[in-house]
Amino acid sequence: MISAVLVVTRRNIVQSAIFLITALLATAGIFLQLHAEFLFIVQVILYAGGIMVLFVFVIMLINLDVSLHQVQFNRQWWLGLVLALALGAQLTVAIAVGRSGLPLGEPVPATMLEPSTELVGKVLFGEYMLPFEIASILLLVAMIGAVVMAKKKV
Amino acid sequence: MHLLLHFVISYWVPLVCAVVIVAVLPLVAGYIVLMERKVMADMQARLGPMRVGPHGLLQPIADAVKLLLKEDIIPDEADKAIFWVAPLVSVTAGMLAMSPLAIGPWFQIADLNIGLLFIVGISALGIFGIVLGGWSSNSHYSLLGALRSAAQLVSYETAAGMAIVGALLLAGTLSTREIIGAQNDYGVWFVFAAPVGFFIYVVASIAETNRAPFDLPEAESELVAGYMTEYSGFRWALYFLAEYTNMVVVASIATTLFLGGWLRPFAGTRAFDFLNYLPSALLLGVAGYCFYRAPKQPVKIQQMVLAAVGALILLVAIILGAPLVAPAGSMIANLKAGLHGAFWFLLKVGLYIYLFMWLRFTFPRYRFDQLMRLGWQFLIPLSIVNVMGIGLALVLHRQFGWSHWTAFPLTTILTLGVAGLLGAAGEKQEKAHAVVGEEV
Amino acid sequence: MIPTSHYLFLSLGLFTVGVIGVVTRRNVIIILMSIELMLNAVNINLVAFSRLVGSAEGHAFAIFIITDAAAEAAVGLGIIIAFFRNRETLLGDEMDLLKW
């Protein structure tokens, strides 16, 4: 949470990126706490180890010295802040009020769970096979798009 | 306080293992450096470090002391916080990756459900140490070296991961302990069932650890040690330690997954039980050699040190041999599994690292674009075909009832055929590029 | 045992911080990073509920979201690089080619 706040407030982009990495690792830790081991490691490999490397590459290839002295926040930052906090407050009230109303029973005891990897594998290759295939096509399209975007001469 | 005591008592085995690994790893890394210099010297027909300690055996300690005493230079314009943190990230990632490894049946910090994937993921985090180090040095050469190195690591990480997946199909589990158990059940190490996967993993792991012939990012003639240029003294030693720790981790993954972990060769068959005596025999031989050479050392102190080393090795040989001659069922005999397992594991890791060094001093360096082409256009398609091949072999074995001995060699031959095709296509492309270069 | 609502509040907090980041900052790379924060918040939510129910469908959906985020980050960064080559600026305010 702290690292998340630091992400959006730092002036130096590299520091922002580093705090995003720590925020992602913290999220991975929360997954581990929720007995989702496979998701923990997938988060570490893909998000922290892949996407953030991409971000850091781009940040380092683009000249930063100018941006350090620019104004960091929008001209309408107060409006944005107010609206975002209003959204947050609304959702907080929604959760707090509905907390007692929803049938949030006791979570399943941890010892009764199968290993998360097997469970996820069964679900992914069983019921959600079609979204799985579509996700792979999406990745292919994204790869081609990114390569075309970043080429010097198309 | 009470909670801490409770924690220590219930988790004392992993704690002891963790402390041993963290304490011993820098020393081991130093001795791997010495081994490398000796092997390099041997392949170049010279002797290597001989001065410090008998046959140069105390050289790593001298190196460590020197590095600790060097001046700590921080570049002026560098981002101090990141400069300080970058080597730590590399070393931490390397050491964390050692935790799911099962060095012997009893020596493991954490038997994770997802052990192998955890190691792969944490090695991916080690890339950050390199990139941040290059960035914070505030010098063009460091940044270029760091980005090149990171690009290389990311490219070969995919190939290594797919090679691991190929062998995982055979193992059926991600936990390191159970993978070795699966190899025991099969009766044959996975390197014989998936040799193409092993080859891909060897190549990818050499690239993953920035070793030659893929060591362009840190080559001395190219980029003046690349991302490590601005680091001096102990910070540089940390990066160095991280690199050699990565080498040990990668060798350990290969040993666990392909070479049978802590299993003796032919672990299942009783006919080869004489191999049980191999550890003690080997070490006795080494101890004997130490005692033989001891009187010939020029200086008295070196004679004594070499004799002491010989005595130490003799002691280890006796410890390894004792469970074999003790009456069965006694406490000493029960130590056999743990000790011998650890010995075989370390022997295989050592052989794999020797293979790294052998390759380093044999092949010339790859140019960066050749390196990237090899990774993306040869290894990744080959590893995907490897996964498909092993899947095919498993289906043939399980559903159609083909025996092991026909299914796996068949798919290996098919995969090799694809490898040949890819190689030929790559060469044609390389020639085309070369011709274009000449015309321009 | 940590009650599920705590995880919900955490994910809400992360999401709000992400929204603030997107709406308030000028630098587009930071905007992209805030979007990643929001996606992570949603993931925490999904996994918390999946843990409550005991099935792995939340996990699978979270994996799809991570995959999606990777694709979107790649394409987004590609666009930023292409734009940067043209205009030499990284600020959202100055990317006004579509303005009349």
Side-chain angles (χ1 to χ4, degrees):
Chain A
M1 194 58 203
I2 299 178
S3 18
V5 171
L6 285 170
V7 167
V8 300
T9 50
R10 287 294 104 199
R11 179 173 289 267
N12 189 351
I13 305 188
V14 178
Q15 290 188 5
S16 261
I18 295 182
F19 284 121
L20 186 58
I21 296 174
T22 51
L24 291 174
L25 289 176
T27 314
I30 292 191
F31 286 156
L32 201 58
Q33 218 178 9
L34 284 167
H35 295 278
E37 310 109 17
F38 187 63
L39 222 59
F40 155 71
I41 200 62
V42 162
Q43 170 100 347
V44 167
I45 298 182
L46 285 187
Y47 239 124
I51 299 180
M52 287 318 296
V53 170
L54 194 56
F55 264 102
V56 167
F57 256 83
V58 169
I59 291 176
M60 292 186 181
L61 288 174
I62 293 184
N63 194 2
L64 276 192
D65 296 331
V66 172
S67 65
L68 274 179
H69 302 289
Q70 286 166 339
V71 177
Q72 280 303 318
F73 293 94
N74 256 337
R75 271 175 320 184
Q76 311 97 342
W77 67 271
W78 54 271
L79 182 60
L81 191 62
V82 163
L83 285 177
L85 286 176
L87 175 68
Q90 194 174 16
L91 288 171
T92 316
V93 166
I95 297 182
V97 163
R99 188 160 39 158
S100 48
L102 286 176
L104 295 176
E106 270 298 310
V108 176
T111 46
M112 275 172 43
L113 291 173
E114 292 175 38
S116 145
T117 317
E118 291 178 14
L119 218 57
V120 170
K122 276 192 221 163
V123 166
L124 262 186
F125 285 109
E127 296 168 29
Y128 294 109
M129 190 59 178
L130 185 60
F132 188 72
E133 299 293 331
I134 296 182
S136 62
I137 298 183
L138 175 85
L139 278 175
L140 179 67
V141 169
M143 262 201 294
I144 299 179
V147 166
V148 166
M149 282 284 175
K151 265 168 102 97
K152 290 215 167 97
K153 281 194 285 199
V154 176
Chain B
M1 190 57 220
H2 167 72
L3 213 60
L4 185 61
L5 205 58
H6 177 73
F7 175 78
V8 168
I9 292 184
S10 36
Y11 289 103
W12 71 275
V13 169
L15 269 180
V16 164
C17 296
V19 166
V20 166
I21 285 187
V22 170
V24 162
L25 208 55
L27 200 63
V28 166
Y31 275 94
I32 295 181
V33 173
L34 177 67
M35 178 175 148
E36 172 159 12
R37 287 171 74 172
K38 286 294 212 181
V39 167
M40 165 171 18
D42 187 37
M43 294 193 179
Q44 295 171 352
R46 53 188 178 88
L47 281 176
M50 295 283 278
R51 210 170 268 277
V52 188
H55 282 272
L57 280 175
L58 292 178
Q59 179 76 31
I61 303 181
D63 279 336
V65 169
K66 173 200 85 170
L67 283 169
L68 278 171
L69 293 177
K70 265 195 176 171
E71 176 189 353
D72 192 20
I73 306 176
I74 303 184
D76 212 7
E77 299 278 317
D79 198 337
K80 303 241 177 355
I82 304 182
F83 192 81
W84 182 79
V85 129
L88 293 180
V89 168
S90 280
V91 172
T92 313
M95 292 213 184
L96 259 184
M98 295 280 301
S99 52
L101 292 172
I103 296 187
W106 300 343
F107 194 93
Q108 187 179 26
I109 300 182
D111 188 18
L112 299 174
N113 243 345
I114 45 164
L116 216 60
L117 208 51
F118 180 81
I119 304 180
V120 172
I122 301 288
S123 307
L125 281 184
I127 300 180
F128 276 122
I130 297 179
V131 171
L132 291 175
W135 165 257
S136 62
S137 304
N138 203 38
S139 116
H140 292 288
Y141 296 112
S142 303
L143 189 58
L144 269 181
L147 289 180
R148 269 191 185 179
S149 172
Q152 173 187 327
L153 253 55
V154 161
S155 320
Y156 283 86
E157 184 187 326
T158 318
M162 298 290 287
I164 291 183
V165 164
L168 279 181
L169 282 175
L170 290 169
T173 171
L174 280 170
S175 150
T176 45
R177 193 172 282 261
E178 291 177 26
I179 291 177
I180 301 181
Q183 291 187 58
N184 206 359
D185 292 335
Y186 266 87
V188 74
W189 297 347
F190 288 156
V191 65
F192 298 113
V196 183
F198 182 62
F199 165 72
I200 297 175
Y201 190 72
V202 167
V203 175
S205 57
I206 300 181
E208 274 286 304
T209 46
N210 272 339
R211 297 279 299 177
F214 298 113
D215 66 348
L216 200 66
E218 59 178 44
E220 277 143 32
S221 48
E222 303 284 339
L223 281 177
V224 197
Y227 61 93
M228 292 196 255
T229 315
E230 301 290 336
Y231 284 88
S232 65
F234 199 59
R235 293 184 203 281
W236 185 82
L238 280 181
Y239 263 128
F240 212 57
L241 172 67
E243 177 176 331
Y244 281 91
T245 309
N246 266 329
M247 229 164 67
V248 171
V249 166
V250 146
S252 307
I253 299 179
T255 311
T256 309
L257 199 51
F258 289 104
L259 294 176
W262 67 68
L263 298 171
R264 191 195 72 197
F266 302 108
T269 41
R270 306 280 307 171
F272 283 90
D273 263 352
F274 69 89
L275 281 176
N276 268 334
Y277 294 96
L278 194 60
S280 322
L282 266 179
L283 288 179
L284 272 175
V286 173
Y289 180 71
C290 283
F291 286 132
Y292 170 66
R293 295 286 300 182
K296 305 197 178 180
Q297 294 296 313
V299 178
K300 181 84 178 181
I301 278 227
Q302 291 196 353
Q303 285 182 7
M304 293 201 306
V305 172
L306 198 54
V309 167
L312 205 60
I313 298 184
L314 191 61
L315 187 63
V316 176
I318 293 180
I319 295 181
L320 279 178
L324 290 173
V325 296
S330 72
M331 200 181 77
I332 304 185
N334 284 336
L335 288 174
K336 164 175 175 284
L339 289 174
H340 279 243
F343 174 82
W344 285 114
F345 191 92
L346 293 172
L347 183 70
K348 291 174 199 176
V349 167
L351 284 177
Y352 198 84
I353 296 184
Y354 180 73
L355 182 70
F356 270 16
M357 296 178 184
W358 194 2
L359 291 175
R360 173 179 182 174
F361 303 120
T362 316
F363 293 116
R365 201 170 278 137
Y366 269 89
R367 222 172 51 224
F368 193 66
D369 62 315
Q370 289 172 333
L371 204 156
M372 296 301 262
R373 172 170 303 140
L374 184 71
W376 288 102
Q377 294 183 0
F378 182 69
L379 279 186
I380 291 186
L382 186 60
S383 57
I384 296 179
V385 170
N386 176 46
V387 169
M388 292 200 293
I390 295 187
L392 182 66
L394 280 177
V395 161
L396 285 176
H397 173 64
R398 288 191 187 148
Q399 277 199 313
F400 295 107
W402 289 30
S403 100
H404 279 293
W405 300 104
T406 41
F408 283 99
L410 180 65
T411 50
T412 310
I413 294 176
L414 281 173
T415 320
L416 283 173
V418 172
L421 283 173
L422 282 169
E427 276 190 31
K428 215 167 54 164
Q429 198 180 34
E430 180 83 16
K431 281 205 185 64
H433 275 246
V435 167
V436 167
E438 274 174 26
E439 284 182 7
V440 169
Chain C
M1 204 61 242
I2 303 183
T4 315
S5 51
H6 286 202
Y7 287 114
L8 291 186
F9 281 123
L10 173 68
S11 107
L12 173 65
L14 268 181
F15 191 78
T16 317
V17 170
V19 168
I20 295 178
V22 168
V23 170
T24 322
R25 296 293 295 248
R26 286 172 95 202
N27 199 333
V28 291
I29 297 188
I30 307 238
I31 295 181
L32 264 181
M33 290 204 270
S34 312
I35 296 181
E36 305 291 333
L37 262 185
M38 288 199 280
L39 289 169
N40 264 297
V42 168
N43 269 344
I44 296 182
N45 219 342
L46 271 175
V47 175
F49 274 120
S50 145
R51 169 84 176 89
L52 182 64
V53 173
S55 86
E57 300 182 352
H59 290 11
F61 197 27
I63 290 185
F64 287 134
I65 293 185
I66 295 181
T67 316
D68 222 354
E72 147 209 348
V75 173
L77 287 170
I79 296 180
I80 291 180
I81 292 183
F83 202 90
F84 185 78
R85 283 212 197 104
N86 249 322
R87 290 280 160 147
E88 290 289 326
T89 178
L90 274 180
L91 302 178
D93 288 348
E94 297 178 13
M95 296 182 174
D96 53 4
L97 284 175
L98 283 177
K99 260 191 179 164
W100 62 84

